[in-house]
Amino acid sequence: MYMIKKDSSAISSRSMIFLRRFMLLLGLSVLSGCAALKPVNLLNAVVPSSGYTLRSDVVYGEDERQRLDIYFPDSTGPRSRTIVFVYGGAWREGSRADYEFVGQALAEAGHTVVIPDYRLYPSVVFPAFIDDVVDAIAAAKLPVEQWSGDALAELVLMGHSSGAHTVALLASDERWLEGSGINLSALIAISGPYDLPLENPEVAPVFRGVGDADEVRPVALVADNHPPTLLIHGEEDERVLPFHTRHYAAALEAEEIRYEVQWLEGTGHVAAIAGLAAPLDRSNRNRDRISKYLDGL
């Protein structure tokens, strides 16, 4: 029922060459401050624009950041899902356009992918960005139903880094989606800070006003109604340390929740999500890893 895997082939040798070049350009972009060398722009520029139809700039609120994109797959199968992906950025930065490679990879695998922007610190603090994701899910319901012809009753939540914390919080605390008419069929959480340290100077101002730290720590909120979960974390992650995933896995096991942990050997924080892009994984192993997990539910 519970699986822990070490994936030493998370990034193939050919993809590793691309990754090294990509990380070199990442370093150059940081040193130069040149927007033209923004790493995700470089990555998205070589991602195939195939396998999906994009509906962009769906409005779900009055703020300019309250917009979302939906990637509709060109072909679906009996196990196709609707996946809401929440990106990271320490609650301070990020754009849905930066994650075209995520939308493309999952849509080409037959899944509908919703990627929302959300308001960021310091313009807002918790729980505004959580509320935004909930509102985005509600706004995506109608266009997804119109495209598929079926009522959207279930979805998969997926996130990376601080976005993984957001989706884990939604999965662990049922009050957020209560009354939405949507059930969670699975959670896919990548490199998230699930045992959130509120005393951390980067975290504290974002969550100021939270009286009880356990209210925002998914590891403390797991209950027996938690959806099946896939946890992915790079063993070499120095940004969000791997103990967060270990603690979350322990909480899931304590409640007898169906879960799987995949440790990516030799992989850091960025590569854990960047490896989903076709140029970084010629055989689409990261995409297929997620689809295989969903197929097995």
Side-chain angles (χ1 to χ4, degrees):
M1 186 173 184
Y2 313 116
M3 301 177 64
I4 299 179
K5 298 180 178 180
K6 178 180 289 189
D7 194 338
S8 60
S9 58
I11 301 177
S12 66
S13 58
R14 193 189 316 181
S15 299
M16 185 60 74
I17 295 173
F18 184 95
L19 178 59
R20 287 170 179 164
R21 292 174 180 172
F22 174 74
M23 296 307 290
L24 175 61
L25 289 172
L26 172 60
L28 290 173
S29 68
V30 171
L31 290 172
S32 67
C34 178
L37 285 176
K38 190 176 180 181
V40 290
N41 290 342
L42 295 166
L43 182 57
N44 285 326
V46 293
V47 167
S49 57
S50 60
Y52 67 89
T53 299
L54 175 62
R55 179 171 177 182
S56 60
D57 296 320
V58 176
V59 176
Y60 70 88
E62 295 181 356
D63 191 274
E64 63 179 10
R65 292 222 24 116
Q66 293 172 320
R67 305 288 187 273
L68 61 87
D69 291 346
I70 307 177
Y71 293 77
F72 294 113
D74 289 347
S75 60
T76 60
R79 296 187 179 275
S80 295
R81 310 294 181 114
T82 297
I83 302 173
V84 175
F85 174 76
V86 181
Y87 54 77
W91 304 280
R92 290 166 169 80
E93 61 182 357
S95 168
R96 64 190 189 278
D98 293 344
Y99 293 88
E100 175 188 351
F101 69 92
V102 173
Q104 187 277 333
L106 297 175
E108 191 172 56
H111 307 291
T112 300
V113 187
V114 178
I115 305 181
D117 277 338
Y118 50 90
R119 290 171 294 169
L120 302 169
Y121 177 83
S123 296
V124 299
V125 297
F126 174 86
F129 45 86
I130 307 288
D131 290 333
D132 280 359
V133 173
V134 172
D135 289 344
I137 290 171
K141 195 170 186 291
L142 180 58
V144 170
E145 289 176 351
Q146 289 175 335
W147 174 81
S148 66
D150 297 320
L152 179 59
E154 291 191 347
L155 58 80
V156 174
L157 290 178
M158 176 178 171
H160 173 250
S161 194
S162 58
H165 173 268
T166 292
V167 294
L169 199 59
L170 293 177
S172 301
D173 189 345
E174 63 181 356
R175 68 189 171 103
W176 294 107
L177 292 174
E178 189 174 14
S180 67
I182 292 178
N183 294 318
L184 301 182
S185 58
L187 170 69
I188 300 172
I190 305 170
S191 309
Y194 316 113
D195 199 353
L196 194 68
L198 287 188
E199 69 279 5
N200 183 291
E202 186 176 31
V203 175
V206 180
F207 290 86
R208 67 174 181 262
V210 174
D212 183 354
D214 283 352
E215 292 180 1
V216 292
R217 294 172 61 241
V219 296
L221 295 169
V222 174
D224 60 6
N225 60 349
H226 193 287
T229 298
L230 172 62
L231 299 175
I232 301 173
H233 212 122
E235 289 188 337
E236 304 302 321
D237 194 333
E238 297 180 353
R239 175 67 170 138
V240 177
L241 298 179
F243 77 82
H244 286 280
T245 286
R246 295 191 185 98
H247 290 184
Y248 200 9
L252 292 168
E253 184 157 3
E255 291 293 334
E256 299 185 343
I257 304 301
R258 181 181 177 182
Y259 77 94
E260 181 176 324
V261 181
Q262 295 202 10
W263 295 105
L264 307 184
E265 186 176 348
T267 301
H269 192 66
V270 174
I273 186 63
L276 193 62
L280 293 182
D281 195 345
R282 300 283 180 165
S283 62
N284 290 320
R285 287 182 52 83
N286 287 321
R287 182 196 72 180
D288 290 347
R289 180 183 299 113
I290 291 170
S291 289
K292 183 178 179 180
Y293 172 77
L294 294 175
D295 288 349
L297 293 178

Short mmCIF file of all heavy atoms in Angstrom, two decimals, residues 18 21-29 34-47 98 101 277 279:
data_model
loop_
_atom_site.label_atom_id
_atom_site.label_comp_id
_atom_site.label_asym_id
_atom_site.label_seq_id
_atom_site.Cartn_x
_atom_site.Cartn_y
_atom_site.Cartn_z
N PHE A 18 21.83 18.65 -21.46
CA PHE A 18 20.97 19.82 -21.63
C PHE A 18 20.83 20.56 -20.31
O PHE A 18 20.88 21.79 -20.25
CB PHE A 18 19.59 19.41 -22.15
CG PHE A 18 18.68 20.57 -22.45
CD1 PHE A 18 18.58 21.08 -23.73
CD2 PHE A 18 17.94 21.15 -21.44
CE1 PHE A 18 17.74 22.17 -24.00
CE2 PHE A 18 17.10 22.23 -21.69
CZ PHE A 18 17.01 22.73 -22.98
N ARG A 21 23.80 22.69 -19.51
CA ARG A 21 23.80 23.91 -20.31
C ARG A 21 22.75 24.88 -19.79
O ARG A 21 22.97 26.09 -19.71
CB ARG A 21 23.52 23.57 -21.78
CG ARG A 21 24.66 22.79 -22.43
CD ARG A 21 24.27 22.36 -23.83
NE ARG A 21 25.35 21.60 -24.48
CZ ARG A 21 25.23 20.98 -25.63
NH1 ARG A 21 24.07 20.99 -26.28
NH2 ARG A 21 26.26 20.32 -26.15
N PHE A 22 21.60 24.33 -19.41
CA PHE A 22 20.52 25.15 -18.88
C PHE A 22 20.95 25.84 -17.59
O PHE A 22 20.72 27.03 -17.37
CB PHE A 22 19.29 24.27 -18.64
CG PHE A 22 18.14 24.98 -17.96
CD1 PHE A 22 17.37 25.89 -18.65
CD2 PHE A 22 17.83 24.71 -16.63
CE1 PHE A 22 16.31 26.53 -18.04
CE2 PHE A 22 16.78 25.35 -16.01
CZ PHE A 22 16.02 26.26 -16.72
N MET A 23 21.61 25.08 -16.69
CA MET A 23 22.06 25.67 -15.43
C MET A 23 23.17 26.69 -15.65
O MET A 23 23.28 27.66 -14.90
CB MET A 23 22.52 24.56 -14.48
CG MET A 23 21.42 23.59 -14.06
SD MET A 23 19.96 24.41 -13.38
CE MET A 23 20.61 24.99 -11.81
N LEU A 24 23.99 26.49 -16.68
CA LEU A 24 25.00 27.49 -17.03
C LEU A 24 24.32 28.79 -17.45
O LEU A 24 24.70 29.88 -17.00
CB LEU A 24 25.90 26.97 -18.15
CG LEU A 24 26.93 27.96 -18.71
CD1 LEU A 24 27.88 28.41 -17.61
CD2 LEU A 24 27.70 27.33 -19.87
N LEU A 25 23.30 28.68 -18.29
CA LEU A 25 22.56 29.86 -18.70
C LEU A 25 21.84 30.49 -17.52
O LEU A 25 21.72 31.72 -17.43
CB LEU A 25 21.55 29.50 -19.80
CG LEU A 25 22.17 29.17 -21.16
CD1 LEU A 25 21.09 28.63 -22.10
CD2 LEU A 25 22.83 30.40 -21.76
N LEU A 26 21.37 29.65 -16.59
CA LEU A 26 20.76 30.16 -15.37
C LEU A 26 21.76 31.03 -14.61
O LEU A 26 21.43 32.13 -14.16
CB LEU A 26 20.29 29.00 -14.50
CG LEU A 26 19.80 29.33 -13.09
CD1 LEU A 26 18.61 30.27 -13.16
CD2 LEU A 26 19.43 28.06 -12.35
N GLY A 27 22.98 30.55 -14.47
CA GLY A 27 24.00 31.32 -13.79
C GLY A 27 24.32 32.62 -14.50
O GLY A 27 24.47 33.67 -13.88
N LEU A 28 24.39 32.56 -15.83
CA LEU A 28 24.65 33.77 -16.60
C LEU A 28 23.53 34.79 -16.45
O LEU A 28 23.78 35.99 -16.36
CB LEU A 28 24.83 33.41 -18.08
CG LEU A 28 26.11 32.64 -18.44
CD1 LEU A 28 26.04 32.22 -19.91
CD2 LEU A 28 27.35 33.51 -18.19
N SER A 29 22.29 34.30 -16.40
CA SER A 29 21.16 35.21 -16.28
C SER A 29 21.18 35.91 -14.93
O SER A 29 20.84 37.08 -14.81
CB SER A 29 19.83 34.46 -16.47
OG SER A 29 19.59 33.58 -15.40
N CYS A 34 19.86 39.93 -16.98
CA CYS A 34 19.24 40.13 -18.29
C CYS A 34 17.93 39.36 -18.39
O CYS A 34 17.92 38.14 -18.27
CB CYS A 34 20.20 39.67 -19.38
SG CYS A 34 19.52 39.82 -21.05
N ALA A 35 16.83 40.07 -18.61
CA ALA A 35 15.53 39.42 -18.72
C ALA A 35 15.47 38.48 -19.90
O ALA A 35 14.75 37.49 -19.90
CB ALA A 35 14.42 40.48 -18.83
N ALA A 36 16.22 38.80 -20.95
CA ALA A 36 16.19 37.95 -22.15
C ALA A 36 16.74 36.57 -21.86
O ALA A 36 16.46 35.61 -22.59
CB ALA A 36 17.00 38.61 -23.27
N LEU A 37 17.56 36.45 -20.79
CA LEU A 37 18.14 35.17 -20.44
C LEU A 37 17.38 34.47 -19.31
O LEU A 37 17.91 33.58 -18.68
CB LEU A 37 19.62 35.35 -20.03
CG LEU A 37 20.60 35.60 -21.16
CD1 LEU A 37 21.99 35.84 -20.58
CD2 LEU A 37 20.64 34.44 -22.14
N LYS A 38 16.14 34.92 -19.05
CA LYS A 38 15.36 34.29 -18.00
C LYS A 38 15.29 32.80 -18.26
O LYS A 38 14.85 32.36 -19.32
CB LYS A 38 13.96 34.90 -17.95
CG LYS A 38 13.15 34.48 -16.74
CD LYS A 38 11.82 35.20 -16.72
CE LYS A 38 11.02 34.79 -15.51
NZ LYS A 38 9.69 35.45 -15.47
N PRO A 39 15.71 31.96 -17.31
CA PRO A 39 15.85 30.52 -17.56
C PRO A 39 14.59 29.86 -18.07
O PRO A 39 14.64 29.05 -18.98
CB PRO A 39 16.25 29.98 -16.18
CG PRO A 39 16.89 31.12 -15.49
CD PRO A 39 16.19 32.33 -15.96
N VAL A 40 13.41 30.19 -17.48
CA VAL A 40 12.20 29.53 -17.95
C VAL A 40 11.84 29.92 -19.37
O VAL A 40 11.25 29.13 -20.11
CB VAL A 40 11.01 29.81 -17.00
CG1 VAL A 40 11.19 29.11 -15.68
CG2 VAL A 40 10.82 31.30 -16.79
N ASN A 41 12.21 31.15 -19.77
CA ASN A 41 11.98 31.53 -21.16
C ASN A 41 12.82 30.68 -22.09
O ASN A 41 12.36 30.27 -23.16
CB ASN A 41 12.31 33.02 -21.37
CG ASN A 41 11.30 33.93 -20.70
OD1 ASN A 41 10.20 33.50 -20.36
ND2 ASN A 41 11.67 35.18 -20.49
N LEU A 42 14.06 30.42 -21.69
CA LEU A 42 14.93 29.56 -22.48
C LEU A 42 14.37 28.15 -22.56
O LEU A 42 14.38 27.52 -23.61
CB LEU A 42 16.34 29.54 -21.87
CG LEU A 42 17.10 30.87 -21.88
CD1 LEU A 42 18.29 30.79 -20.95
CD2 LEU A 42 17.53 31.23 -23.28
N LEU A 43 13.88 27.66 -21.44
CA LEU A 43 13.33 26.31 -21.40
C LEU A 43 12.06 26.21 -22.23
O LEU A 43 11.91 25.31 -23.06
CB LEU A 43 13.04 25.92 -19.95
CG LEU A 43 12.51 24.51 -19.70
CD1 LEU A 43 13.47 23.47 -20.25
CD2 LEU A 43 12.29 24.29 -18.21
N ASN A 44 11.13 27.15 -22.03
CA ASN A 44 9.88 27.11 -22.77
C ASN A 44 10.08 27.30 -24.27
O ASN A 44 9.29 26.80 -25.08
CB ASN A 44 8.92 28.18 -22.24
CG ASN A 44 8.31 27.81 -20.90
OD1 ASN A 44 8.05 26.64 -20.64
ND2 ASN A 44 8.08 28.79 -20.06
N ALA A 45 11.16 28.01 -24.63
CA ALA A 45 11.42 28.25 -26.06
C ALA A 45 11.73 26.97 -26.81
O ALA A 45 11.52 26.89 -28.03
CB ALA A 45 12.57 29.24 -26.22
N VAL A 46 12.20 25.95 -26.12
CA VAL A 46 12.54 24.70 -26.79
C VAL A 46 11.56 23.58 -26.46
O VAL A 46 11.77 22.43 -26.84
CB VAL A 46 13.98 24.25 -26.44
CG1 VAL A 46 14.98 25.23 -27.02
CG2 VAL A 46 14.17 24.14 -24.93
N VAL A 47 10.47 23.93 -25.77
CA VAL A 47 9.41 22.94 -25.50
C VAL A 47 8.47 22.91 -26.68
O VAL A 47 8.05 23.96 -27.17
CB VAL A 47 8.65 23.33 -24.21
CG1 VAL A 47 7.36 22.52 -24.08
CG2 VAL A 47 9.53 23.10 -22.99
N ASP A 98 5.41 31.04 -17.08
CA ASP A 98 6.69 30.38 -16.86
C ASP A 98 6.57 28.87 -16.90
O ASP A 98 7.59 28.17 -17.04
CB ASP A 98 7.29 30.79 -15.51
CG ASP A 98 7.67 32.26 -15.45
OD1 ASP A 98 7.76 32.89 -16.52
OD2 ASP A 98 7.88 32.76 -14.33
N PHE A 101 5.90 24.62 -19.91
CA PHE A 101 6.47 23.27 -20.07
C PHE A 101 5.71 22.24 -19.24
O PHE A 101 5.61 21.08 -19.64
CB PHE A 101 7.96 23.26 -19.73
CG PHE A 101 8.31 23.48 -18.29
CD1 PHE A 101 8.46 22.41 -17.42
CD2 PHE A 101 8.50 24.76 -17.79
CE1 PHE A 101 8.79 22.60 -16.09
CE2 PHE A 101 8.83 24.97 -16.46
CZ PHE A 101 8.97 23.88 -15.61
N ALA A 277 10.02 18.90 -18.28
CA ALA A 277 10.09 19.43 -19.63
C ALA A 277 10.75 18.45 -20.58
O ALA A 277 11.75 17.81 -20.24
CB ALA A 277 10.87 20.75 -19.63
N PRO A 279 12.78 18.75 -23.15
CA PRO A 279 14.22 18.82 -23.43
C PRO A 279 15.10 18.28 -22.31
O PRO A 279 16.24 17.91 -22.55
CB PRO A 279 14.46 20.33 -23.62
CG PRO A 279 13.13 20.90 -23.94
CD PRO A 279 12.15 20.07 -23.17
#
